[in-house]
Amino acid sequence: MPRTGAVTEKQLLLRLQEMEEINASLELLVEQRTNKLVEIVSTNGKFLSIIAHDLRSPFSSIIGILELLKMSLKEFNKNEIEEYVDIVYNSANNTLVLLDNLLVWAVSQNKEKNFKPVKINLYELLREEIENLKTLASQKQITLSHLIKPEVNVTADLQMVKTILRNLISNAIKYTNVNGEIVINACELKKFVEVTVKDNGIGISDENMRKLFKIDAFHSTPGTQDEKGTGLGLLLCKEFVELHGGNIRIESEAGKGSIFSFTLPHYI
């Protein structure tokens, strides 16, 4: 008879078995966390590499063209000067959008602290964003307009919504040909408002659509005037929309244009 309180052989085996199961679970957890960390480090390394390349390229272009203008300004006619100035403007604007996205992305990493939903009137906000992007659209003689009603309101983080709109509209301008058209609209649902950005540009193939919104792909194709990008803007749009409990989707056909749609909580 074993002493009271003594551990029997059967109990000992059961405890050893429990410890083995716990150990196996811990090993699996460590492996999963390690793989996730490796994935994050790898992705961030690729991310930083692409960003560094995409920042260096436009700055090199801007400096090169300004140097050319400085050295040979008297030799160029008015049309040639305007052409070079347009190139510098577009390059500088694209770089500014990229830097703005990087800043917003960095701030958004602390979501609990920086996510501040407020009442936003979409009509007023969109009118402001269209005004800011009107010069960019005019470079390609693109008509930029919206059909949103004045009473449409959402509950959202102001800076994040600005980033979403700015990126989707800039993207539409990028992939729309000269004399094209971009229209923004909004449809009020029960709990959400669905915003659409529609263009009649070059569209996106099925293969390329599958690469969008993926952090490991960083997919971006040149615009209609060879505008460059990283794909970071769309990743930010997806992250910010989902943070609001909404979703983002795309309808597109190569050669016929695209429609980007996203939802935000309706203001109640």
Side-chain angles (χ1 to χ4, degrees), residues 126 144-145 148 164-173 176 181-186 194-200 249-251 257-262:
L126 200 52
L144 186 57
S145 61
I148 295 179
I164 295 167
L165 289 172
R166 194 178 309 127
N167 275 287
L168 293 183
I169 297 172
S170 296
N171 234 38
I173 295 171
T176 298
E181 182 181 18
I182 298 168
V183 180
I184 302 97
N185 205 350
E194 183 176 61
V195 182
T196 58
V197 179
K198 180 180 180 181
D199 66 66
N200 61 351
R249 60 188 176 88
I250 176 175
E251 301 171 52
S258 303
I259 302 174
F260 279 85
S261 305
F262 66 95

Side-chain angles (χ1 to χ4, degrees), residues 10-23:
K10 185 178 180 180
Q11 289 174 323
L12 182 60
L13 287 173
L14 285 172
R15 289 188 183 181
L16 285 172
Q17 186 178 351
E18 289 176 0
M19 290 178 67
E20 286 178 357
E21 291 175 355
I22 292 171
N23 186 56

